Amino acid sequence: MSCRGGRVNIGEIAKRAGVSRSTVSYALSGKRAVSAATRRRILQVIDDVGYRPNASARALAEGRTRAIGLVIPPAGRRLTPIQLGFVADVVAAAGRRELDVLLSPSGGEHDRSFERMVRGRRVDGVILMEVRLRDARAARLRESGVPFVAIGHTADAATGYWVDLDYQGLVASCVRHLADLGHREIALINRPRELLDSGYGPARRALDGFEAAAAARSLSATASCCPDEAAAGETFIEDLLAARPGVTGLVTINEAALPGIERALRRLGRAVPRHISVTGVVGRHWAEEFHPPLTAADVPITDMAERAVELLAERLAEPGTPPRNVLLAPPISLRSSTAPPP
């Protein structure tokens, strides 16, 4: 707490305004009604002394921690560049609202960290990453009453607050783009098998969108999973083209595999886009680093992080508001990696 020419505490504010300490606290937090005249008098004193309550004082007055939890994938699994960027953007968005961020891994033995955060009420609310169609963590948060916003949504999309990317629609658009160019045999490079099998939303919805759009255009289509690694992407392309040499179009949501995909295509003499076209849903950085630059729907991680923090702040400020969600569908940026087939 500070004032012009010195330091004061909340007791001094109360003394100058001629009210009790609790009345000052209620006027600042809004937890109880204070008459308009009294509130004006308190605010005038605060203005006169230049009082600025620090974050701890505000948290105490509001009965809140002024911290939010960000539940990330298990610590033993390397975060992808999109995930790392999302974490940084959440921290930045929370900081603009004077909120701290507590990171908590989940999954397996790391569930103890998640449970400590929930039981100990160490945060005011939670942003939950990597949501599955049936997610025990989301169920636990609902049970505990801790407000949360999910990145992705469970099978019951009508409930809860969430922010998601329309993987199903975007991957379908990528398929239609290839079909419009004349490609008849295409392949999907999905996320790792364990994510798909666990009901990870983006992997599941990408597969659904790919299969539906390919069937609608009567395309020959194959879909496979690939680990989130460049070396795995290289091996994937070698195996795919050995088994399906007629493939002329690739769709991917696996950005971590892109460097390996590029190396394998170059080594095999499959020039992009002259011999094979590549498109997908990836982070803008990865799309622009691909050679040639990748035609793709760029994942708007900064926008997703900002929307998630905004929704959580809304939940904390107005607990009774009905569930709200945001489904983002960025346009496909036409760069240089797609063309008619040879």
Side-chain angles (χ1 to χ4, degrees), residues 215-240:
R217 292 297 188 95
S218 300
L219 304 183
S220 174
T222 183
S224 300
C225 292
C226 177
D228 289 334
E229 299 171 356
E234 200 164 353
T235 301
F236 180 98
I237 292 297
E238 292 170 352
D239 294 344
L240 171 69

Side-chain angles (χ1 to χ4, degrees), residues 230-241 250 257-272 276 290:
E234 200 164 353
T235 301
F236 180 98
I237 292 297
E238 292 170 352
D239 294 344
L240 171 69
L241 295 182
L250 300 174
L258 277 174
I261 292 170
E262 181 182 339
R263 285 197 300 266
L265 291 173
R266 188 185 308 117
R267 190 175 66 254
L268 294 171
R270 301 290 290 265
V272 179
I276 192 165
F290 195 82

